[in-house]
Amino acid sequence: MGPPFWQNRTFWVIAILVLLLMSLNWIVNTYTEWLWFNEVRYQQVWLRQWGVELGSFAVAFVAATAVLLGSWHIARRRASKATPNFYPQILGLPGIGWLITGAGLFVAFGFGSSAAAQWDTLLQYVFRVPYGTSDPIFNQDISFYLFELPVYNFLQGWFVSLLFMTLLGTAAIYAINFLPDIQRGKWRPQESPVFRQHVALLGALLLAGWAVGYWLDIFELLFSRQGIVVGATYTDLNANLLALRAQLFLMAALAVAVALNIFQLNLRPAIAIGGLWLAASFLLGGLYPGLLQRYAVEPNEIVRESPYIEYNIEFTRLAFGLDTIETQQFGVPKPLTRQTLEDNATTLENVRLWDYRPLRDTYEQLQTLRTYYQFGEIDIDRYEIDDEIQQVMLGARELDKSALPSSSWVNRNLEFTHGYGIVMNPVNKFTEDGQPEFYIQDLPPRSVIDLEITRPEVYYGEMTTDAVFVGSAREEFDYPSGTENVYSSYAGKGGVPLDSYLKRLAFSFRLGDINVLLSDEINNQTRVQFHREIRGRVLQIAPFLTLDSDPYIVVADGRLVWMMDAYTLSDNFPYATPINRDQSRLRRPFNYIRNAVKITVDAYDGSVNFYIADTDDVLIRTYDRAFPGLFRSLDELPETLQSHIRYPEDLFRIQTRQLLTYHMEDVRVFYNKEDLWDIPGEIFEGAEQPMEPYYVTMKLPGEERIEYLLIQPYVPSGKDNMVAWIAARNDLPHYGELLVYELPKQELVFGPIQVENRIDQEPSISEQFSLWDQLGSRVIRGNLLVFPVNQSFLYVEPVYLQADTRGLPELKRVIVASDTRIAMGNTMEEALAQLFMKEPTAVTAPPPETDAATDGETITAPLDATMEELIQSANTHFEAAEAAQRAGDWATYGRELDALQQDLQRMTELSQ
């Protein structure tokens, strides 16, 4: 019989080769990621992340291995020596020791991996900074809850789990050597000294770790959801806290009682203490809090809970940045006058008539120009055009490779590598056909304003998810030009240079593409670009940040640059009411948020820069210490980009949601929910939905300067009238300031849904909508926007028509409303003129077409008219009604509508 297999050198050679093959994917990915981080110049950031993750794994793996294998092998030796005579020596069989070692290493690997997954939490702990504010109950700095408590909770759970697995394996090893007794039901483990001593030691350590958990649970009371508000309330501090302290003391005593069995078997103290622990858990942890809440708190709830409600209000406002909001009284609203509008001409010139949803469809149909282009989200921004700040909408034209006419490997990887250019239009202008008036359009980008794009290529975008090879021997497709195509070669620094065979081999393996090695057109000057989707690219560098859902494209110094906002989040802020996963577009629960970072990504070379936007945020200060050189000061952001900073909509939505309740700072008002607010509704595509916040260009009350603002109206809960509105300032040096303007409660100011209902009840408008519907067009009502102008309010809603067969949305009407009137016109100017019963000076309408012999009488189709004649007659009456409406000739307008209705009725009868 030869030596055991583990003493065979061939076995170890084969084992090492198998391990290398199994690890090859990890090795290749690690190597190529290292090359990528060098390319983006954040290799130190990657090394710090990777080092902490690997270090955490190594320490945890070694510790778990030492505990598991130390205990299990000791148990094996002690059990073998204590095996009764004539019992089989199962633990002495060849290979059993290796089996135990393998099982221990496998379990230890799991514990090491769980520790490595906590690298971010551990890194925050090491580089933590103080918050400067203490909690009101235990007087701990907030940083204790943000940085320290999560680590303590993890370590406690990790050690308890490790001791439990160790105890389980140890007991199993001892039991194996007594299988005959177990089979006969005669095993008495407590009578075995070696078993008793070992298990008692592990059991005592496990119970001690359990006791530590109760100590940590005391601090977790500040996140309790059992009371009237989030945080420790009266019952928590007068009943649950007592229960936790009792359980902590009894569990520690139980650990000592179990530990005494190491020296002598005596289970009575442990059983007695365990019984007391069970009684305390039931009586103090369950029964007493319920009785206290029912008979002491509920009858006197406002008195008992007032301090804790106040803590919840204070810390929720602090956690979500609501404490810095400035509240002002709007004053008594005044009727909207023509003079008010003249005083706010700049605001009216920047009223957003284009809704981003139908506008995207318009972009797709008018400006993709080829099937293999696509547009992502339509962005809203402002630019200085003709020495004035104008609000615009724009979108980047990205490549959709799934729509390529020929999807060959060369086309997908070497030739079609990038999108091209942007499309831009002013928010308030449209053609007679209802299409946007483009500032920038077509291929190559053609601009009619003083805004030139010298680098229109989009190699990095919102929908660019594949890898490409640039700078190869094959020229890249830029854009189509008539029957020819325009080509170019990449001249940037984006991508990893494939200047060695090893790199080509590594990327061939990573991408699963042998053509990377075989292609003659890939040479030493070729670069491979991957991680091109901008959100994923940023998170690859800084996975600890949470990104806003809406990156936006900016034209700066002739280049296209993506800008995005990043947040630092935590769910460990004491007494703060959290946002649940489904309550925000960030898709994770949290109770602390800051817009801590502004990020730029160059669309041509992929360079990524991080700028600290909130220097008071303790989380970003911690990360700045952990990753020196990653973040820059916001002052270093180029001036051409500083003018495009905007307050992020995701954060604004979260803050406006929390403000629905937490604008009430008076405890009694908060308790009674006397002044609860709600987000108003609006109509879109025939259904009511919550009103979205929107960007506007206007003057704040009492201010002289036009600003770019993000605003949201409020209504009282359960009612529709407007009660307040909030504005976020976007322009430096006031960026980030939030102002709430409260309306007088005794005054009625129409809310958005009330204006929507008034629009529906306006005869001329509802008839027009019905007419369009009958003619086969779908009416789309865009965002209803509310504009505070001086001490008045102007409501604006664009109306689009989309033919069922054509599918191209056209902006056909603009509806405006004041507190007393509603008007609809072909343009904003016309609608405002009708609002004040005055013809617009800039718009002239032809008179309605009538037959001279009829002296203005409406001509109807003959009784024997065919279907074609009825259709022509209906179109004629429709056009005449529109002309009469523009001219303000309402008598003719009514006659033409009646005639149109007759034609439609006869068409229906004829079709039957």
Side-chain angles (χ1 to χ4, degrees), residues 649-665:
E649 186 177 328
D650 283 354
L651 174 61
F652 190 69
R653 286 173 181 262
I654 291 164
Q655 290 176 313
T656 54
R657 182 184 182 89
Q658 290 292 63
L659 201 64
L660 299 177
T661 302
Y662 287 94
H663 71 279
M664 298 180 287
E665 298 184 63

Side-chain angles (χ1 to χ4, degrees), residues 728-740:
R729 307 176 83 168
N730 290 265
D731 298 333
L732 297 173
H734 299 292
Y735 170 80
E737 295 179 7
L738 298 176
L739 300 98
V740 170

Side-chain angles (χ1 to χ4, degrees), residues 403-418:
L404 287 176
S406 174
S407 185
S408 66
W409 185 89
V410 170
N411 279 351
R412 286 184 287 105
N413 293 274
L414 302 180
E415 188 163 319
F416 288 85
T417 58
H418 57 275

Side-chain angles (χ1 to χ4, degrees), residues 554-565:
V554 173
V555 182
D557 301 316
R559 301 178 72 91
L560 301 180
V561 180
W562 294 99
M563 294 188 71
M564 63 182 79
D565 291 274

Side-chain angles (χ1 to χ4, degrees), residues 105-121:
L105 291 175
F106 178 79
V107 176
F109 184 87
F111 280 98
S113 298
S114 67
Q118 298 294 319
W119 68 269
D120 186 16
T121 304

Side-chain angles (χ1 to χ4, degrees), residues 672-707:
N672 292 320
K673 299 294 187 287
E674 297 175 15
D675 192 21
L676 197 63
W677 292 350
D678 203 353
I679 302 296
E682 66 172 348
I683 301 297
F684 182 74
E685 292 193 343
E688 183 175 344
Q689 65 176 26
M691 188 176 190
E692 298 181 349
Y694 49 95
Y695 292 96
V696 299
T697 303
M698 54 174 272
K699 289 188 293 186
L700 285 169
E703 297 287 340
E704 297 296 327
R705 191 170 65 90
I706 292 289
E707 296 185 53

Side-chain angles (χ1 to χ4, degrees), residues 135-304:
D135 79 85
I137 304 301
F138 303 117
N139 200 34
Q140 294 281 348
D141 189 88
I142 300 300
S143 62
F144 169 80
Y145 300 94
L146 294 176
F147 305 123
E148 298 180 43
L149 188 59
V151 173
Y152 300 154
N153 278 325
F154 167 73
L155 292 177
Q156 184 269 341
W158 189 87
F159 275 110
V160 167
S161 300
L162 176 62
L163 289 169
F164 177 76
M165 293 297 297
T166 304
L167 178 60
L168 207 63
T170 300
I173 291 171
Y174 279 110
I176 287 174
N177 245 26
F178 293 91
L179 278 178
D181 287 344
I182 295 174
Q183 292 171 347
R184 295 195 300 267
K186 294 183 178 181
W187 187 42
R188 301 291 183 267
Q190 69 275 13
E191 296 177 1
S192 171
V194 293
F195 178 85
R196 169 176 51 79
Q197 293 168 356
H198 201 161
V199 170
L201 174 61
L202 291 175
L205 292 174
L206 177 63
L207 294 172
W210 198 339
V212 172
Y214 284 121
W215 175 70
L216 297 174
D217 286 343
I218 290 174
F219 296 103
E220 293 286 340
L221 286 175
L222 299 194
F223 308 101
S224 170
R225 298 194 184 192
Q226 298 180 5
I228 189 173
V229 292
V230 172
T233 53
Y234 186 89
T235 300
D236 290 316
L237 296 179
N238 291 276
N240 292 327
L241 179 58
L242 175 63
L244 288 173
R245 286 172 174 169
Q247 289 170 310
L248 167 61
F249 173 77
L250 291 171
M251 188 59 66
L254 182 59
V256 174
V258 171
L260 292 176
N261 284 271
I262 298 172
F263 309 102
Q264 184 178 359
L265 178 64
N266 187 0
L267 296 178
R268 290 181 180 178
I271 294 173
I273 296 172
L276 289 174
W277 172 79
L278 285 173
S281 299
F282 174 71
L283 296 174
L284 296 179
L287 186 60
Y288 177 53
L291 293 173
L292 184 68
Q293 179 70 26
R294 174 62 185 87
Y295 295 104
V297 177
E298 289 184 10
N300 309 282
E301 194 168 46
I302 184 62
V303 176
R304 303 285 192 192

Side-chain angles (χ1 to χ4, degrees), residues 781-815:
R781 291 161 66 169
N783 286 126
L784 176 68
L785 307 183
V786 182
F787 290 88
V789 284
N790 295 356
Q791 289 298 114
S792 307
F793 289 96
L794 174 67
Y795 307 84
V796 181
E797 181 175 84
V799 179
Y800 308 87
L801 282 187
Q802 187 171 27
D804 293 336
T805 55
R806 187 181 175 193
L808 180 63
E810 299 177 352
L811 206 169
K812 283 298 186 182
R813 296 290 187 273
V814 179
I815 300 174

